[in-house]
């Protein structure tokens, strides 16, 4: 079954930028005349003017986590941005571990309605925040992913619970509900009992675009089965080739269309008008690293159970310190990446430097050089969607829009304009097939 709308259109790279709603919220606390949305509205309008495909929000459910302080609730935040934009997609990262599928179906359903078909859900299972959802520990990855899979079965069945023709237009032009075409799902599973049907009308996209982040064994299996787009941290081309080969192979075994799921990579770019300028910025950032604090960051990247306080910075990390991956309860995908670095013989100092990008793809150079790096992955088929950060900062905005994006459009890698009205159309994704077997009378 072909899940791509644009099988005949040339493949183009899709673009995403951060919606904001994080730390700058703090600054506004001292300026009551401005709202938390101000910067985000400006960024959203700049992004739409640049024809960027979507705005992205992360989901951080704990005060202490890196970057979490001031982090607004994603769905409320992008819903507000839906009213100051008309074409750009709206991606909300939301956890299945700390939410109920009936609420999730309604929350994303309403986002798709109020945005007229621009909603996307980046599903995560969370690796932090359990202290706020007690009693109890963070469930194991196996438990979290089993709950995530059942959640997807339930929300998809709820979004399919209104059959075609359930809503028609009466002789006076008003909507007519045909109750017999709205069916309960009567789901009974390990985690949830949900009768349904959903009590909001069919979504403009019928289902929001389904994304997922989490690249452990279990995460990859979930993404291969259900995701249309997987958000990844793939620091090198080899990581991207291995991951893409693995997830596409699994997706094929689930009967998914060729080229699914789309590979969405975070991209940490350092721009310079010259290569020397970019290198200088990287050098300055490295010189400002607190390597003593970095020891804890590396321990966190390796699953958290390590004490690296005594190890000399220029010594290699003994492989004997590496945790057994099945004993790691948080972000096994990222632990895999950093364990790989240890096996490559990197010193603690080099690991601290790598930890600044938390396993994401980082590159520095002129817009042309960065376009070369992007084009290499795009042509290799391991990059379909990319993050372009920094629009709130005028210098970065200029490099992103008038530099990298312009160059990628000159190379016909990124489309010059939106191709549809819904996010699904702009990503070249077809409406997923209804699964009437999930709707039980
Ligand atoms: C690129 C990327 C971005 C992620 N973003 C978030 C996020 O914003 N909020 C969150 O709770 N988890 C996030 N996660 C982690 C997911 O919660 C993931 O399901 C969980 O850590 C388990 O990861 P694992 O499959 O690697 O073990 C992200 C993971 C990746 C790979």
């Amino acid at each position: 079954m072909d899940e791509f709308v644009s099988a005949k259109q040339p493949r183009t790279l899709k673009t995403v930028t951060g919606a904001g709603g994080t730390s700058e919220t703090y600054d506004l606390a001292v300026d009551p005349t401005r709202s938390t949305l101000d910067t985000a509205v400006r960024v959203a309008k700049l992004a739409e003017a640049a024809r960027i495909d979507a705005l992205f929000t992360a989901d951080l459910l704990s005060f202490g986590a890196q970057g979490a302080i001031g982090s607004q609730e994603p769905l409320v935040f992008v819903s507000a941005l839906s009213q100051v934009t008309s074409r750009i997609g709206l991606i909300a990262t939301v956890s299945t571990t700390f939410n109920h599928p009936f609420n999730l179906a309604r929350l994303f359903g309403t986002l798709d309605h109020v945005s007229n078909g621009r909603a996307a859900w980046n599903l995560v299972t969370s690796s932090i925040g359990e202290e706020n959802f007690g009693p109890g520990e963070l469930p194991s990855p196996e438990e979290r992913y089993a709950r995530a899979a059942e959640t997807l079965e339930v929300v998809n069945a709820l979004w399919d619970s209104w059959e075609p023709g359930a809503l028609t237009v009466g002789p006076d032009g008003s909507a007519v509900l045909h109750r017999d075409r709205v069916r309960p799902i009567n789901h009974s599973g390990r985690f949830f009992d949900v009768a349904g049907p959903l009590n909001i009308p069919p979504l403009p996209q019928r289902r929001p675009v389904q994304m997922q982040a989490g690249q452990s064994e279990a995460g990859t299996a979930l993404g291969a089965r259900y995701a249309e787009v997987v958000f990844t941290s793939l620091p090198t081309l080899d990581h991207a080739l291995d991951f893409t080969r693995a997830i596409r192979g699994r997706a094929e075994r689930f009967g998914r269309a060729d080229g699914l799921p789309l590979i969405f990579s975070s991209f940490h770019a350092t721009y310079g008008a010259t290569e020397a300028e970019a290198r200088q910025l990287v050098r300055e950032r490295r010189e400002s690293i607190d390597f003593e604090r970095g020891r804890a960051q590396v321990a966190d990247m390796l699953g958290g159970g390590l004490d690296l306080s005594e190890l000399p910075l220029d010594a290699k990390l003994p492989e004997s310190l590496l945790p057994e991956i099945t004993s790691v309860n948080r972000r096994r995908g990222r632990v895999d990446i950093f364990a790989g670095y240890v096996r490559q013989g990197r010193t603690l100092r080099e690991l601290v430097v790598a930890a600044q990008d938390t396993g994401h793809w980082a590159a520095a150079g002129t817009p042309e050089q960065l376009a070369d790096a992007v084009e290499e992955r795009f042509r290799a088929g391991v990059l379909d969607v990319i993050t372009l950060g920094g629009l709130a900062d005028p210098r970065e905005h200029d490099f992103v829009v008038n530099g990298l994006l312009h160059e990628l459009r000159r190379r016909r890698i990124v489309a010059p304009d939106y191709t549809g009205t819904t996010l699904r159309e702009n990503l070249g994704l077809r409406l997923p097939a209804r699964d009437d077997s999930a709707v039980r009378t």
Side-chain angles (χ1 to χ4, degrees):
M1 196 266 312
D2 183 358
E3 295 176 80
F4 280 109
V5 164
S6 59
K8 298 176 197 54
Q9 289 164 9
R11 175 175 163 259
T12 55
L13 178 66
K14 311 302 177 184
T15 57
V16 170
T17 194
T22 52
S23 50
E24 67 264 20
T25 305
Y26 257 42
D27 316 337
L28 298 171
V30 296
D31 178 353
T33 64
R34 297 184 54 207
S35 97
T36 300
L37 263 186
D38 286 8
T39 304
V41 168
R42 187 167 59 80
V43 166
K45 290 185 172 175
L46 287 172
E48 194 161 75
R51 296 305 190 237
I52 286 176
D53 293 296
L55 297 168
F56 178 87
T57 55
D59 182 26
L60 301 162
L61 297 169
S62 176
F63 181 82
Q66 191 175 346
I69 299 171
S71 176
Q72 302 287 343
E73 198 288 319
L75 276 160
V76 174
F77 207 76
V78 294
S79 298
L81 294 176
S82 73
Q83 302 308 297
V84 294
T85 55
S86 59
R87 307 292 300 281
I88 197 164
L90 304 159
I91 307 170
T93 297
V94 176
S95 174
T96 49
T97 301
F98 302 124
N99 286 288
H100 187 283
F102 192 80
N103 290 333
L104 289 167
R106 284 173 48 77
L107 287 162
F108 279 100
T110 298
L111 175 61
D112 205 46
H113 275 285
V114 300
S115 67
N116 218 7
R118 295 182 283 137
W121 174 18
N122 179 35
L123 183 157
V124 294
T125 63
S126 301
S127 49
I128 55 165
E130 71 273 13
E131 72 278 13
N132 297 320
F133 296 89
E137 302 295 304
L138 181 71
S140 70
E142 290 73 18
E143 181 100 357
R144 283 184 275 137
Y145 277 110
R147 180 185 167 114
E150 187 176 332
T151 295
L152 284 166
E153 291 295 333
V154 173
V155 292
N156 287 338
L158 287 168
W159 286 322
D160 289 352
S161 61
W162 290 55
E163 291 178 6
L167 270 181
T168 57
V169 181
D172 62 353
S174 63
V176 178
L177 173 62
H178 302 274
R179 282 177 172 277
D180 60 333
R181 291 178 170 270
V182 183
R183 305 192 176 268
I185 69 168
N186 295 326
H187 172 91
S188 181
R190 175 177 160 195
F191 299 96
F192 311 108
D193 287 342
V194 180
L198 188 61
N199 61 338
I200 59 176
L203 283 51
Q205 295 186 105
R206 190 144 59 67
R207 295 181 189 170
V209 172
Q210 187 63 65
M211 303 189 174
Q212 179 261 344
Q215 51 200 80
S216 60
E217 174 66 22
T220 306
L222 189 86
R225 173 81 183 75
Y226 295 102
E228 294 171 291
V229 183
V230 284
F231 184 36
T232 64
S233 33
L234 301 168
T236 67
L237 179 59
D238 285 343
H239 284 102
L241 289 164
D242 293 347
F243 178 79
T244 305
R245 200 175 301 120
I247 200 164
R248 295 268 170 80
R250 299 181 90 145
E252 197 183 340
R253 291 195 288 280
F254 286 118
R256 310 280 313 273
D258 201 20
L260 279 183
L262 301 182
I263 307 297
F264 171 18
S265 255
S266 54
F267 181 52
H268 292 190
T270 302
Y271 296 92
T274 63
E275 184 175 339
E277 183 187 331
R279 286 180 183 285
Q280 176 58 27
L281 288 169
V282 171
R283 241 192 326 277
E284 285 166 11
R285 202 177 306 133
R286 289 220 174 136
E287 281 153 12
S288 69
I289 294 174
D290 173 345
F291 283 92
E292 288 316 310
R293 191 170 149 269
R295 293 172 185 274
Q297 287 175 303
V298 172
D300 178 46
M301 297 296 137
L302 289 166
L306 295 183
D307 174 4
L308 301 175
S309 54
E310 302 304 320
L311 194 74
L313 275 171
D314 294 310
K316 292 179 181 172
L317 222 89
E319 289 189 31
S320 58
L321 289 182
L322 291 177
E324 175 50 50
I325 196 69
T326 52
S327 71
V328 172
N329 196 24
R330 302 173 193 276
R331 300 199 90 166
R332 286 181 182 171
R334 189 171 59 192
V335 172
D336 271 339
I337 291 172
F338 279 78
Y341 292 161
V342 170
R343 294 191 189 95
Q344 286 169 2
R346 295 197 190 187
T347 64
L348 180 52
R349 184 183 303 277
E350 290 165 337
L351 291 167
V352 171
V353 171
Q356 304 314 303
D357 285 300
T358 62
H360 292 287
W361 174 23
T366 63
E368 291 71 25
Q369 289 172 323
L370 293 168
D372 291 343
V374 171
E375 179 165 11
E376 179 186 41
R377 289 199 185 195
F378 177 72
R379 303 271 179 235
V382 299
L383 180 68
D384 303 295
V385 189
I386 191 170
T387 61
L388 298 175
L391 296 195
D393 169 71
R395 177 182 182 277
E396 289 266 316
H397 173 268
D398 185 39
F399 271 120
V400 170
V401 175
N402 306 321
L404 181 59
L405 209 42
H406 173 77
E407 181 59 18
L408 291 172
R409 285 183 168 137
R410 191 188 67 73
R411 297 181 192 195
R412 300 187 185 290
I413 291 172
V414 172
D417 200 348
Y418 297 119
T419 52
T421 55
T422 68
L423 175 58
R424 199 165 270 297
E425 288 161 358
N426 285 325
L427 295 180
L429 294 168
R430 188 183 288 288
L431 282 176
R434 288 177 54 81
D435 179 359
D436 288 324
S437 68
V439 178
R440 285 187 237 353
T441 54

